[in-house]
Amino acid sequence: MAPPGSRLTWIVLAFASLVSSGVTVRTAWAQEAPTAETQAEARRLFEEGRAHAEAERWPAAVTSFESSRALLERPSTLFNLASALVRVGRSLEALEALDVLERVADPRRDRAMLAGVPDLRARADSSLRHVVLTVAPETALLEVDGEPIEGAGPRRELTLDPGAHSASVSLAGFTTERAEIALGQDELSVTLRPRSARVHVEPSF
């Protein structure tokens, strides 16, 4: 994670300054909302998230920005959400938010915001882990942190958020194996063992 005085923090706080000055508020909320109540609640949550970000309460900021986005998806919400997600180690979700931001933002109206996207995207990319997991049999199913991972074959290339992760490898007729993907580990091999055949024993002579 970048320290509090990092350029990423500067981007978030500088962007927050634009919001408070009214520049970004017009960008974020100028479009017609479904209802006045929904718009007001989304904006309240956005401001709540901004306050958490300024105080570097990043998990709380993520929660507020996610709640605001669920009501109304605005470029400013997506930018600030991505910033907070990077800080809590959820870089894959941050990149998804930036992808959406670049699709919905107006190149001219939102140019100040878009100027900060490459730096934020680079920080998210640089924090990702790239791990090669070799499994046998090659048709085994793989889950990481409880989520199924698509793909087949003996070699599975994973792109993961920073931090440690748990892998589970399973296949019918074999004993499920679980393994920890520790920090700094970029290669891991898991071989499943066939389940022993059940032996039938008569209970009496």
Side-chain angles (χ1 to χ4, degrees):
M1 296 295 179
S6 69
R7 179 174 173 78
L8 178 57
T9 300
W10 180 87
I11 290 173
V12 174
L13 298 183
F15 185 66
S17 177
L18 288 174
V19 174
S20 62
S21 69
V23 174
T24 307
V25 168
R26 288 194 294 272
T27 296
W29 306 103
Q31 298 179 18
E32 184 179 357
T35 66
E37 291 78 10
T38 297
Q39 184 178 17
E41 178 62 9
R43 183 169 184 172
R44 184 192 70 77
L45 289 164
F46 174 85
E47 295 296 338
E48 179 181 272
R50 190 164 66 86
H52 287 311
E54 288 179 335
E56 298 190 21
R57 296 188 294 265
W58 300 110
V62 167
T63 298
S64 296
F65 288 134
E66 285 181 328
S67 297
S68 181
R69 180 189 181 184
L71 294 173
L72 290 173
E73 194 163 73
R74 303 300 195 205
S76 56
T77 307
L78 291 161
F79 184 95
N80 284 281
L81 173 59
S83 299
L85 285 169
V86 169
R87 297 305 295 262
V88 298
R90 292 163 59 183
S91 297
L92 290 172
E93 292 174 76
L95 291 170
E96 180 272 334
L98 292 175
D99 288 342
V100 176
L101 166 60
E102 292 185 315
R103 290 199 299 269
V104 302
D106 182 277
R108 296 183 60 187
R109 183 190 62 198
D110 302 320
R111 62 182 179 276
M113 185 193 321
L114 289 170
V117 169
D119 182 72
L120 186 53
R121 185 180 291 279
R123 290 180 179 275
D125 279 328
S126 66
S127 72
L128 294 176
R129 297 188 58 188
H130 301 282
V131 178
V132 175
L133 180 59
T134 303
V135 302
E138 63 180 38
T139 54
L141 304 177
L142 172 63
E143 292 185 355
V144 175
D145 300 329
E147 296 295 326
I149 303 298
E150 294 184 1
R155 180 184 173 92
R156 314 289 175 90
E157 297 184 3
L158 309 176
T159 300
L160 305 173
D161 281 323
H165 298 271
S166 297
S168 174
V169 183
S170 62
L171 186 65
F174 292 81
T175 301
T176 297
E177 296 288 344
R178 293 176 173 82
E180 295 300 314
I181 306 175
L183 289 173
Q185 187 175 24
D186 56 11
E187 291 189 14
L188 185 65
S189 179
V190 176
T191 299
L192 300 184
R193 294 170 298 171
R195 289 179 180 160
S196 299
R198 180 174 295 179
V199 178
H200 177 72
V201 179
E202 290 295 335
S204 60
F205 183 74

